[in-house]
Amino acid sequence: MYVDPRFRKLLEPGRIGCMELRNRIIMAPMGTNFAAEDGYITERSKNYYAERAKGGVGLAIVGVGAVDHPRAKCMPNQVAVSDDKFIPGLSELAEAVHRHGAKIAVQLQHAGGVAAEESAQGIAPLTPSPIQPAVAEVLQDMTMQEVTSLMTRFANAPADMTTREITPEEIKRLVVCFAEAAGRAKRAGFDGVEIHAGHGYLIAEFLSRSKNKRQDAYGGELKNRARFLLEIIAAIREKVGKDYPIWCRMDGREFEIEDGITPADGQQLSVMLEQAGLDALHVSGYGGAVEGFYHAPLVYPPGNLIPLAEGIKKLVKIPVIAVGRISPKLGEQILRQGKADFIAMARPLLADPDLPSKLASGKLEDVRPCIYCYNCVGQIFWAESMYCAVNAATGSEADFRIQRTEHTKKVIVVGGGPAGMETARVAALRGHQVTLYEKERRLGGSLFFASTIYPDNEDFLHHLVAQVNKLPVEVKLRQEATPELIERSKPDVVIVALGSQQMTPRIKGGNQRNVLTVADIKQMLAGRFKGDGAKKLSVGQRAVLYLAGPFLRRFLSPSLARRLAKFWMPVGKRVAVIGGDLIGCELATFLVQRGRKVTILESGQGLAGDMAITRRWRVLADLRQGGVDMITEVTYEEITKEGIIISKNGERQTIKANTIVVAEGMQPGRRLLEVLKGKVPEIYEAGDCVELRLIRGAILDGASIGMKV
């Protein structure tokens, strides 16, 4: 079988204990909320894991298997391994994964102080020592709607709730729970078990001085704090035998936590765990409720946890699994350098379950990339089912199995943004005759602008464009699909995906020359310098853009735009951004990185409400660190040559700015839809022309419509 030499190490077989794996790519465990509320495995869960097995992973790890279900749950629809009644469903899941040649394990977990479902019922969670959850910290940067949702969910929890210290008797009971759960996993056909000793759950709380203040045999120095985990390992080994693979997910470090686990603690613990008989170590990390959480386990910057795995790898002989925003290229490099033995990936396999098989066949360009928006993780905070912004099929595999149609239709897609491209892609894969019209010189639509200000979008933009160009889709650039053209073409189906239009800001002085809209900036990126946006620029700025026009129209990419913007942009040194949603905050980040002093103004109560909370925490922290003033609940009074006059709490003030950028006022572009209604057999609308849907909504619309036509 051919294996792309670029990923030789990543794709070579490996072993954990006596378990042989076909490659070194592990599907990292994630909570999904796909199980039934009573803990049983669902068809949705089986389809989800089977799809990743079919895509070529060596090992799939089922996340957060509750060993004491229904107690100590961290999410409402959590997989249970706490009773023999769950074995049949677990067996079916194991069979579904084995059918495609992958191995499967389950992660054994007790949520400890993070047992949200108990807290919601007013039951104090168990922890090594009594602690009071940092509620105020968690609520930081949440919108009022989100706060209200949480308050409703936890209405039965006392405001001053303190966790309950676990007793020695309860410790003994839970050791048995872990061992019994491992025995069930083995009987169900699972190939191994992973003990979750990280991420702020019960075992990690024992290991961390920040949570463990006990004075008995389970507190104090590390060998005592590790006693609970070591007893669990011994009990599991006695239950399943010496040849059954057992490993542990551990924190190599806790970030931004006073008295948290240090790298030295992680290294010392790893030696203990090897001596206790574990077959591998899965080295992750953790951080505080907000500060630190985006360092780990979300992992920012990419590869932030690799040094932790490397440090432990030098001390132990058993395999080390590295995790934490590791791309295939970085994973291959880690393995070749001997920093780890296996690479665990979570979000990249949500975006593309076929990632391993595409790497093996040399089709790296076909891998659908993760954009690290963290919507998947954000869903879990609201006790909702996980989804992927760039892959509509994640968690809905049964609904998005692409099959060839028996009745080929003539399909016209109007608009080459993400919604249009995804619609065209799916419809073409199903065998329809697809023509895509885009009035600009390139495909991408708003995603081109989004990729310029948020770099992680760019690979996804290139992926969509490449897929459309590889398929039998007739792409007509620089051609506007007028109602007359569409009617002459006599299509069976028309999909309108024209995106949004930006309305002129209704602010006194909004037509000043120092005011730019996002639409103006998009025009500049498209190489068009006519119209109202160009008139606002100085003669020198217009001359620069005019002379650069031919080059920009032909060669400009988001990455090139970012590089050029470090040297020159048609904005002043002080910028006020009107609008504090995702677009405004990403634009502000982009400007700060290029030396601008930025103020974000928002008429609503919060910022970035359309951004996943887990990413919002990091973005707003970065903006604060970058000196950005963020002012909410403002009324815009007037734009002047000096800046913008606002009022807040009845007081007027002037925000000085050379340039005002309007990043709000987006409205659905529905004119074409209205004109075509009743004139074509089938018509649909997708993406931002429905409402502001962002990437997730655009891809979901495109995939759904492509499956429907």
Side-chain angles (χ1 to χ4, degrees):
M1 174 181 169
Y2 172 80
V3 171
D4 190 329
R6 291 177 294 176
F7 302 102
R8 173 179 53 81
K9 290 292 293 183
L10 202 58
L11 295 167
E12 76 176 10
R15 176 192 289 266
I16 295 177
C18 63
M19 178 174 59
E20 291 278 357
L21 302 180
R22 60 186 174 187
N23 59 47
R24 295 175 184 266
I25 301 174
I26 294 175
M27 179 183 177
M30 285 186 72
T32 62
N33 259 326
F34 291 166
E37 191 171 354
D38 54 10
Y40 286 95
I41 294 294
T42 60
E43 287 298 316
R44 187 182 192 188
S45 295
K46 287 185 280 187
N47 291 336
Y48 167 73
Y49 287 104
E51 192 71 15
R52 274 81 201 157
K54 181 182 176 183
V57 296
L59 168 68
I61 305 176
V62 178
V64 289
V67 302
D68 199 22
H69 192 282
R71 293 176 290 269
K73 293 165 58 180
C74 61
M75 60 190 70
N77 295 69
Q78 191 169 343
V79 174
V81 283
S82 57
D83 192 284
D84 287 357
K85 66 184 181 182
F86 298 114
I87 292 177
L90 292 167
S91 295
E92 291 176 6
L93 174 58
E95 290 170 8
V97 169
H98 288 154
R99 199 175 299 130
H100 299 290
K103 296 297 197 299
I104 185 170
V106 63
Q107 186 184 66
L108 307 180
Q109 180 249 23
H110 184 291
V114 196
E117 297 308 298
E118 289 191 335
S119 298
Q121 298 170 38
I123 301 171
L126 292 177
T127 50
S129 305
I131 57 174
Q132 192 164 11
V135 176
E137 188 179 1
V138 172
L139 297 179
Q140 177 181 320
D141 294 327
M142 287 189 182
T143 66
M144 283 304 300
Q145 182 179 358
E146 290 168 344
V147 171
T148 301
S149 173
L150 278 185
M151 293 299 100
T152 301
R153 183 181 171 199
F154 291 94
N156 294 324
D160 58 349
M161 176 182 281
T162 300
T163 64
R164 182 169 67 81
E165 182 174 304
I166 187 171
T167 67
E169 292 72 26
E170 288 170 320
I171 290 174
K172 290 183 175 61
R173 186 184 74 81
L174 289 178
V175 168
V176 173
C177 286
F178 274 92
E180 293 290 337
R184 291 185 192 99
K186 183 178 180 181
R187 284 152 56 199
F190 279 68
D191 302 289
V193 293
E194 174 176 279
I195 304 165
H196 202 335
H199 297 185
Y201 297 126
L202 183 63
I203 299 175
E205 290 171 327
F206 269 91
L207 294 169
S208 178
R209 284 183 296 268
S210 68
K211 301 292 196 311
N212 187 345
K213 310 295 183 183
R214 298 176 73 97
Q215 301 299 313
D216 62 6
Y218 294 93
E221 57 184 324
L222 182 59
K223 69 176 183 179
N224 287 345
R225 301 198 309 274
R227 189 181 303 274
F228 179 40
L229 173 56
L230 295 174
E231 289 178 351
I232 289 171
I233 294 170
I236 291 177
R237 181 59 73 197
E238 183 178 354
K239 187 73 177 179
V240 300
K242 64 178 182 178
D243 294 329
Y244 190 69
I246 308 169
W247 64 93
C248 176
R249 190 172 226 199
M250 58 174 287
D251 293 326
R253 175 188 171 187
E254 287 184 322
F255 296 81
E256 307 294 336
I257 295 179
E258 186 177 356
D259 275 341
I261 295 169
T262 66
D265 290 336
Q267 292 177 7
Q268 185 181 348
L269 177 64
S270 69
V271 175
M272 293 183 194
L273 297 178
E274 181 180 38
Q275 293 172 349
L278 286 186
D279 295 298
L281 295 172
H282 189 171
V283 183
S284 184
Y286 192 59
V290 175
E291 291 187 22
F293 187 84
Y294 43 78
H295 292 304
L298 291 193
V299 188
Y300 184 84
N304 196 34
L305 305 181
I306 294 170
L308 303 178
E310 181 183 9
I312 287 172
K313 171 69 176 168
K314 293 176 181 177
L315 298 175
V316 300
K317 295 180 180 179
I318 55 177
V320 171
I321 305 166
V323 71
R325 198 167 170 180
I326 299 174
S327 68
K329 289 181 179 178
L330 180 56
E332 177 71 13
Q333 180 182 334
I334 291 167
L335 296 179
R336 291 192 183 194
Q337 293 173 345
K339 295 179 179 179
D341 302 283
F342 293 89
I343 302 298
M345 300 179 183
R347 283 167 283 277
L349 290 167
L350 305 185
D352 195 336
D354 296 321
L355 182 151
S357 61
K358 289 177 180 177
L359 295 184
S361 60
K363 297 179 180 178
L364 180 62
E365 71 280 1
D366 287 340
V367 173
R368 179 168 286 220
C370 172
I371 61 173
Y372 296 97
C373 62
Y374 297 113
N375 280 285
C376 49
V377 182
Q379 285 293 98
I380 304 303
F381 272 76
W382 314 121
E384 300 288 344
S385 294
M386 181 188 68
Y387 66 73
C388 177
V390 300
N391 182 2
T394 296
S396 300
E397 284 77 13
D399 298 327
F400 287 93
R401 291 199 175 101
I402 297 176
Q403 297 179 334
R404 298 284 293 186
T405 181
E406 295 180 359
H407 306 287
T408 301
K409 296 179 181 179
K410 186 176 183 180
V411 177
I412 287 180
V413 180
V414 185
M421 286 191 285
E422 182 70 353
T423 307
R425 183 188 75 87
V426 175
L429 286 172
R430 295 192 60 230
H432 293 301
Q433 179 188 338
V434 182
T435 303
L436 172 61
Y437 288 90
E438 169 54 54
K439 68 178 181 180
E440 299 294 351
R441 297 171 181 267
R442 61 173 74 92
L443 293 172
S446 294
L447 186 55
F448 189 95
F449 172 74
S451 300
T452 300
I453 61 175
Y454 180 60
D456 286 319
N457 287 334
E458 186 169 6
D459 284 345
F460 183 54
L461 166 64
H462 294 324
H463 170 81
L464 286 177
V465 173
Q467 297 310 299
V468 168
N469 287 333
K470 288 177 70 170
L471 290 167
V473 175
E474 186 177 5
V475 178
K476 293 183 176 291
L477 298 176
R478 301 177 66 183
Q479 187 166 350
E480 185 172 358
T482 63
E484 296 76 19
L485 183 152
I486 292 172
E487 288 188 64
R488 285 198 306 270
S489 300
K490 300 186 184 304
D492 300 301
V493 185
V494 174
I495 295 95
V496 180
L498 284 172
S500 60
Q501 299 174 341
Q502 190 167 17
M503 307 302 292
T504 303
R506 296 181 180 179
I507 305 171
K508 184 179 179 181
N511 58 351
Q512 295 267 357
R513 292 185 62 174
N514 60 345
V515 179
L516 289 175
T517 65
V518 167
D520 294 333
I521 298 173
K522 288 179 182 178
Q523 282 194 0
M524 294 176 193
L525 290 173
R528 292 194 286 116
F529 310 112
K530 298 179 181 179
D532 294 336
K535 293 177 182 177
K536 297 174 183 178
L537 302 178
S538 67
V539 173
Q541 289 171 333
R542 288 201 298 272
V544 169
L545 291 174
Y546 177 79
L547 292 173
F551 172 82
L552 295 178
R553 286 191 289 272
R554 184 171 181 181
F555 298 110
L556 189 65
S557 66
S559 55
L560 178 58
R562 287 193 298 275
R563 291 197 296 272
L564 293 175
K566 291 181 179 180
F567 302 101
W568 184 83
M569 286 189 295
V571 298
K573 292 296 183 183
R574 300 179 66 92
V575 182
V577 177
I578 295 177
D581 282 345
L582 180 145
I583 295 173
C585 289
E586 287 185 346
L587 178 59
T589 301
F590 177 84
L591 293 169
V592 167
Q593 291 169 346
R594 284 149 185 81
R596 269 50 176 188
K597 170 60 181 173
V598 180
T599 300
I600 297 177
L601 303 172
E602 168 59 44
S603 58
Q605 293 179 317
L607 295 174
D610 48 356
M611 188 182 290
I613 183 61
T614 42
R615 181 169 166 240
R616 189 188 315 157
W617 282 332
R618 178 180 67 78
V619 168
L620 296 186
D622 286 349
L623 289 174
R624 293 186 184 102
Q625 189 174 356
V628 175
D629 295 322
M630 294 175 274
I631 309 174
T632 59
E633 299 181 89
V634 305
T635 301
Y636 311 119
E637 301 287 350
E638 182 180 0
I639 295 174
T640 68
K641 293 180 180 179
E642 288 72 37
I644 178 169
I645 301 171
I646 64 169
S647 62
K648 180 177 173 67
N649 300 326
E651 297 185 4
R652 287 166 60 96
Q653 60 176 303
T654 298
I655 306 299
K656 292 185 177 180
N658 310 111
T659 306
I660 315 295
V661 179
V662 182
E664 63 178 21
M666 305 296 180
Q667 298 294 326
R670 308 192 68 185
R671 186 184 64 83
L672 181 62
L673 179 81
E674 298 299 330
V675 172
L676 290 175
K677 277 185 177 178
K679 296 182 179 179
V680 294
E682 288 182 68
I683 187 167
Y684 303 91
E685 55 184 345
D688 287 351
C689 71
V690 182
E691 59 181 3
L692 192 59
R693 306 273 280 151
L694 304 178
I695 290 175
R696 195 262 168 155
I699 296 303
L700 179 60
D701 284 353
S704 300
I705 294 169
M707 294 293 295
K708 186 184 300 183
V709 298

